[in-house]
Amino acid sequence: MKTFTTWLWKISKPVTLVSLLLLILGFSSPILAQREPDGEALLILSHPSTGQVYLNALFFGDEAYLPVGEVLSLLYIPSERLPSGKGLQGFFPDKKNPWTIDPLENKIIIKGLEETLPADKFYFAEMDLYIHPDYFLRIFGLRFMVNIINLSASFKSEYPLPIEERQKREMIRKKLESGRRVDESVPMLFDRNRKFLSLGLLDYVINYDKSNEGSNTSFQLRTGMEFLGGDLEGSISGIKNGRNINLDYSGLRWRYVLPGALKPEKNVLLTTVTAGQINTSSQTNSMALTGISISNNPVVPRQELDIFIIDGYTEADSEVELLIGGQLVDFTRADEVGYYRFNAPISFGTTFLSIRIYTPSGDVIIQDRQYQIPFTFLPKGFVTYNLQTGYLGNGLDSLSTSLATHGDIAIGLSNAITVKAGIDYGNAFGEKKKSNYYGISTRIFQQYLFNVDVIPDRYYRASGSVFYANNVNISTQFTEYKGQSEFTREGQFRDANLNVFLPFKLFGKFTGIRVSGEKIWLEGGFRSNFQGDFNTQLGRVSARLNYRGDLSGAYKISEDESWNAKSLLTSSLTYMLPRSPSLPVFVRGMFLRGQMRYDFNRNAPLALNMLLSQTLFKFGRLTLGYDRDLVKGLGQMQIGFLYDFTAVRTSSQFNKRGNTYSARQSFSGSLGFDPAGKILLPSNRDQVGRSGISVRMFIDQNNNEKYDKGEEIIPAKAVQLDRSANMLLGSDGILRMSQLQNYWTYKMTIDINALPDPTLAPKVTSFNLVAEPNRYKQIDIPLYRTGMIEGMAIIHKNGGQEGLGGLRIHLKKSGEENILETIRTFSDGGFYTYSLLPGKYTLEIDEAQLDFMQARIVQKVLEFEIKALAEGDYVEGLNFELSPLESN
């Protein structure tokens, strides 16, 4: 095994050291045509596009001549050999700029213009053509800078380099690949593992409220676990008021998820069976039942067709979570004006969606919505259904004798047309026990979406929307009602609405206007409203204006119409201080907001609001607010403090209005059982309905791929998932990840560079896993010592053999085209490399060098395997034998 220092010493002739010394002292020697170089060195070339790589250089005086073929290959600049085999030609930076380097004819073409190539400006070596750095600049726009003392080099480019464009494409591909539901290129090592009974997760909230009217204590416990191979969930809440304690049980249900539910790209017969408290997916009226439900809808949302925009406004800097079907699918933070937006896949039909908002003041706002999304389509040929039946009731102790049944079916006639139908049966759905509904969703020109829903004798509804590439979006809906039903409680027989969002830039900043309107036709009158919302940013100030106007009227026979109009303007300004080190710590990141509501009917302001919010102690936030009702002349003061400990979230709030006050102290968090460490894991976020994993990396001393007691655990945050998750490394060396989605497939990648011991590596660096429902999944990753290889490259000539120094050998994974590493041979032809992961590899000499040398090779590709051994594997005898073509 040769070290770099020994190799450098061997390849350097005695004159080399003298020449380098003269170069350092400022002396140079006269250059003669095709004379031997004064010295040779291996430079470390550094550039953002290439990283740090080795590059051979020949020194003539104080000039470093660089190899043309190697540089072009390194930067992916295309070239081809001249018919003589001794020169190169191509086009760069585009097809309008041909170039040629012909050392035999002493000719060079630069940007189509021919000139003489002086003999002292190039050197024709055995394995490459070396030229003066001026020609790299003139032909390719590459300005090389060489440091002789440090043996390093760098360069600047006047043109975009092919290697940079290649890297951009690879980044885009990786981003697209990471967005796929499952990466098929990696193995599934940790598939679904059902448990008869497995302790899971417990969420809790404890509140203590006190006011001038009294005090009480309330709590809510929600648990989730795996039972009989399915996920079990339920909650209990209670309130203690004086000596009385009231308890309520809700949401108890058991669900069995079949394997087909984890593969949304396939259409299977049955995916889920649910028993307990369920909600019907009825289009007419969703009901809470205690019964049973079956479906063939996938648990993992389909994403092949459409992505929907879900947005809104709340307090600035709030944490906003999006839950679909009770599962957290995304989270974000509201911006300076309180705007949040999700790009989320929503399944067709009725979708139960929740927006959970954690405000800076410590409030938790939950907005439960039932969305009837008409623009979700099934893939062509897919058929899905839901069937639910049970007794009406919201609690286990409050069942009625009224049996209700619902069923629906949807068919994808094509990727642009989906039809659906459903039926409700039972007294709970209204006067008519039986109710049918039908619908069709279509897509025109890919972006124009149109939907029709019909419930005979109740309503006929048409809706449409379009979302343009510049973010302009328009949606509208029209409904005609028939007879009296639960849909016409206001007495309307027709309604229509329109919503338009127009984004644009103002003073270089993104802003937009949202305009919406609605009209309801009533018997003998009408009611309508108009709303406009405008927000922009001026420097560090965010401004928002919201106008709402309501208009209602009554039609009278033989008399004029009577009108009633209301209009309200809400304006707000928000200023956020930067987190600059030049500012005092106690004001960094502070934001101030002022808001006013103005009534145009009164021609006077209605209310004023002031809010100050600031982060304290890194994980805490203090909020001070004041509201003033200008009509009643009353004011309200608010003080809140929120702090996130690792194990619990605490929130304190105090409100005072006139002679009344209220105060609340809350504690919330979650507990999860970890099977790897057999301990309870506290968290300050809810976990029920989600999943977690415990990653234990260890040195596999007996090579059985299993963790055995006494084997060394390697503590490191050396794994990555293809989706977001919370990560915490425990004192026991086990890495825990939480906030994963039940039943989803994740791709895990091990970053070997993040391991504390660089000689350790896993057998597989990337694999897929399935997150288990309502519990932590144990992931054991055995580590082994990396391998080392050694070999020789020799050439037979003149009846003997000699080593080939400076040869480039490409190391690849078997079956792959990407080069893992380019190995260079030492002056005696020897080579080696280390830190190889377990697996099968190939070695191959650079084709460009073989062509230049005009030599043939006995065995073009060498194959070998690095075995997973605790002490590491060592492979030797990887030898290449070459011979000149003339000898054949």
Side-chain angles (χ1 to χ4, degrees), residues 781-824:
I781 302 177
L783 300 177
Y784 307 91
R785 300 290 174 185
T786 53
M788 178 182 293
I789 62 171
E790 186 176 13
M792 290 283 294
I794 58 175
I795 186 167
H796 298 276
K797 58 181 180 181
N798 301 326
Q801 64 182 34
E802 61 182 61
L804 278 173
L807 199 64
R808 297 191 298 271
I809 301 176
H810 297 320
L811 173 69
K812 301 179 181 179
K813 275 275 193 179
S814 293
E816 298 182 5
E817 293 297 324
N818 294 332
I819 298 174
L820 294 178
E821 182 185 356
T822 298
I823 308 170
R824 286 183 169 276

Side-chain angles (χ1 to χ4, degrees), residues 40-108:
E40 180 180 1
L42 197 61
L43 307 178
I44 297 178
L45 179 66
S46 302
H47 191 265
S49 65
T50 61
Q52 288 192 341
V53 295
Y54 288 116
L55 181 68
N56 202 50
L58 302 179
F59 287 93
F60 291 89
D62 59 354
E63 292 290 351
Y65 283 46
L66 302 177
V68 180
E70 186 172 356
V71 169
L72 298 186
S73 175
L74 184 66
L75 302 180
Y76 291 93
I77 296 177
S79 65
E80 62 181 10
R81 295 205 166 272
L82 296 176
S84 64
K86 301 299 183 182
L88 295 169
Q89 64 182 0
F91 298 87
F92 193 81
D94 51 46
K95 292 293 184 180
K96 298 179 181 179
N97 294 280
W99 61 269
T100 300
I101 304 175
D102 191 342
L104 297 184
E105 300 291 334
N106 289 88
K107 180 180 67 174
I108 190 168

Side-chain angles (χ1 to χ4, degrees), residues 675-691:
K678 301 188 184 308
I679 58 174
L680 288 177
L681 301 176
S683 172
N684 58 18
R685 299 179 70 94
D686 292 344
Q687 296 188 90
V688 174
R690 296 163 218 179
S691 179

Side-chain angles (χ1 to χ4, degrees), residues 649-661:
R649 169 177 286 185
T650 175
S651 173
S652 305
Q653 299 177 62
F654 178 81
N655 295 274
K656 190 175 189 309
R657 181 183 179 93
N659 296 323
T660 64
Y661 74 92

Side-chain angles (χ1 to χ4, degrees), residues 311-321 332-342 355-361 363-367 369 544 572 574 591 593 595 611:
D311 59 357
Y313 286 92
T314 184
E315 289 189 28
D317 208 36
S318 297
E319 297 178 20
V320 187
E321 294 182 343
T332 187
R333 187 178 292 274
D335 62 16
E336 293 85 354
V337 297
Y339 179 72
Y340 62 87
R341 169 172 168 155
F342 295 102
I355 299 293
R356 184 179 297 164
I357 302 173
Y358 298 93
T359 69
S361 59
D363 292 332
V364 180
I365 303 172
I366 299 177
Q367 301 174 357
R369 308 176 188 177
R544 180 187 177 193
S572 65
T574 303
F591 77 85
R593 187 186 68 190
Q595 180 176 290
L611 179 69

Side-chain angles (χ1 to χ4, degrees), residues 509-548:
K509 299 290 186 179
F510 174 80
T511 186
I513 295 178
R514 184 178 298 275
V515 180
S516 61
E518 180 185 32
K519 185 172 182 179
I520 300 174
W521 285 264
L522 307 169
E523 293 294 340
F526 71 95
R527 187 173 69 253
S528 62
N529 67 73
F530 169 83
Q531 187 168 215
D533 197 88
F534 169 80
N535 65 82
T536 188
Q537 189 167 347
L538 303 173
R540 303 197 66 84
V541 177
S542 299
R544 180 187 177 193
L545 292 174
N546 177 269
Y547 173 83
R548 179 180 176 87

Side-chain angles (χ1 to χ4, degrees), residues 622-665:
L622 174 67
T623 303
L624 301 175
Y626 180 76
D627 295 292
R628 183 71 179 177
D629 188 332
L630 299 178
V631 177
K632 298 180 180 179
L634 295 176
Q636 177 175 308
M637 181 184 66
Q638 305 169 11
I639 301 176
F641 181 69
L642 173 72
Y643 195 88
D644 276 332
F645 295 94
T646 303
V648 66
R649 169 177 286 185
T650 175
S651 173
S652 305
Q653 299 177 62
F654 178 81
N655 295 274
K656 190 175 189 309
R657 181 183 179 93
N659 296 323
T660 64
Y661 74 92
S662 64
R664 164 172 284 194
Q665 176 62 50

Side-chain angles (χ1 to χ4, degrees), residues 350-409:
T350 301
T351 301
F352 296 95
L353 182 147
S354 294
I355 299 293
R356 184 179 297 164
I357 302 173
Y358 298 93
T359 69
S361 59
D363 292 332
V364 180
I365 303 172
I366 299 177
Q367 301 174 357
D368 292 322
R369 308 176 188 177
Q370 179 179 306
Y371 275 94
Q372 191 63 48
I373 305 296
F375 309 125
T376 305
F377 301 87
L378 287 177
K380 182 180 179 180
F382 274 46
V383 179
T384 61
Y385 68 88
N386 295 286
L387 181 60
Q388 297 125 6
T389 186
Y391 291 95
L392 186 65
N394 293 320
L396 296 177
D397 57 350
S398 60
L399 295 180
S400 70
T401 58
S402 178
L403 183 67
T405 301
H406 164 78
D408 62 66
I409 186 172

